[in-house]
């Protein structure tokens, strides 16, 4: 059983992370300072630094939370036990729902990569790790539809997803999602009917 002190510590950390997540995503990481996070989370600077030694640690925790949520969505789609193509459709609809949600401001990972371009930055590396997981997840699903050309087709899917995420906060999100889902459907049709590795090189 947790002590009251442990409960307060956990609550303070959650409040800090929730506040940072909201502000980083809505306004940008570099635009939000530690003082703002401390004030809105209603904790002291000492409390923040006890949980997150530096701002970068807080940024990494923020990205980890987003990563965990997206992995959960993927796991839920896979656990439904649908054929692989239908699982990809379900994931695509989930992406579309996110784009149409209130306060959508693009992909948290692409946004973070733009603010941390240094390849040696731990934040940049966290972005690449997430993207590699996503590419591998789509590749594995496509390989169940047809083994040949799964990786090129997955890269195509990821590129369409990136475009939809970027455009979704700039233009009509409903139209963007319709275009994205149409593109996914066309990709699945072409992929299932052809040697996609050859089509990708053409």
């Amino acid at each position: 059983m947790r002590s009251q002190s442990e409960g307060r510590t956990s609550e303070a950390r959650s409040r800090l992370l929730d506040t940072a997540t909201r502000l980083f995503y809505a306004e940008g990481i570099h635009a939000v300072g530690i003082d703002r996070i401390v004030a809105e989370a209603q904790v002291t600077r000492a409390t923040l630094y006890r949980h997150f030694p530096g701002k970068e640690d807080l940024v990494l925790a923020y990205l980890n939370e987003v990563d965990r949520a997206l992995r959960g969505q993927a796991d839920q789609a896979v656990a439904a036990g649908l054929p692989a193509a239908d699982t990809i459709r379900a994931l695509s609809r989930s992406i579309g729902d996110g784009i149409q949600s209130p306060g959508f401001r693009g992909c948290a990972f692409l946004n973070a990569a733009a603010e941390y371009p240094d390849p040696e930055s731990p934040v940049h590396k966290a972005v690449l790790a997430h993207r590699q997981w996503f590419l591998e997840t789509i590749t594995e699903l496509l390989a169940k539809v047809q083994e040949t050309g799964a990786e090129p087709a997955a890269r195509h899917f990821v590129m369409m997803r990136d475009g939809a995420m970027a455009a979704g906060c700039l233009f009509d999100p409903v139209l963007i999602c319709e275009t994205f889902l149409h593109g996914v459907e066309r990709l699945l049709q072409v992929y299932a009917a052809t040697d996609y590795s050859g089509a990708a090189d053409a």
Side-chain angles (χ1 to χ4, degrees):
M1 185 175 180
R2 293 190 310 171
S3 68
Q4 288 185 346
S5 176
E6 289 173 332
R8 285 194 298 271
T9 297
S10 178
E11 180 187 352
R13 186 184 187 281
S14 295
R15 199 159 63 242
L16 280 164
L17 188 51
D18 289 346
T19 302
T21 295
R22 173 174 54 82
L23 294 175
F24 286 160
Y25 184 70
E27 301 181 22
I29 296 170
H30 291 329
V32 178
I34 289 298
D35 288 342
R36 171 94 179 275
I37 294 169
V38 165
E40 295 205 17
Q42 297 182 324
V43 300
T44 64
R45 287 179 70 97
T47 298
L48 182 144
Y49 289 126
R50 185 161 61 248
H51 295 291
F52 305 101
K55 183 177 179 180
E56 186 175 88
D57 299 283
L58 186 55
V59 174
L60 290 170
Y62 151 60
L63 292 177
N64 183 62
E65 286 297 300
V66 179
D67 174 78
R68 186 167 64 176
L70 294 175
R71 287 176 187 253
Q73 289 179 3
D75 290 344
Q76 184 176 11
V78 171
L82 298 171
D86 289 336
T87 300
I88 291 172
R89 292 184 179 101
L91 280 172
S92 300
R93 288 192 296 271
S94 178
I95 291 168
D97 290 343
I99 291 172
Q100 295 180 75
S101 64
F104 177 75
R105 287 185 51 80
C107 171
F109 291 93
L110 292 177
N111 294 347
E115 295 199 62
Y116 290 83
D118 181 359
E120 298 305 313
S121 163
V123 174
H124 194 91
K125 290 179 178 179
V127 170
L128 295 182
H130 169 80
R131 290 179 62 79
Q132 184 61 33
W133 159 78
F134 186 66
L135 175 63
E136 290 174 357
T137 298
I138 300 300
T139 300
E140 289 171 6
L141 287 169
L142 285 169
K144 294 178 181 178
V145 177
Q146 175 176 282
E147 188 171 350
T148 304
E151 187 174 345
R155 290 198 301 268
H156 191 162
F157 179 96
V158 172
M159 187 168 62
M160 287 196 299
R161 177 263 182 197
D162 288 348
M165 296 290 276
C169 58
L170 298 173
F171 305 105
D172 180 355
V174 174
L175 180 60
I176 294 300
C177 290
E178 289 176 355
T179 303
F180 169 62
L181 293 176
H182 177 77
V184 170
E185 193 60 39
R186 181 60 178 158
L187 172 66
L188 289 170
Q189 291 172 2
V190 172
Y191 176 65
T194 65
D195 179 352
Y196 202 84
S197 59
D201 294 334

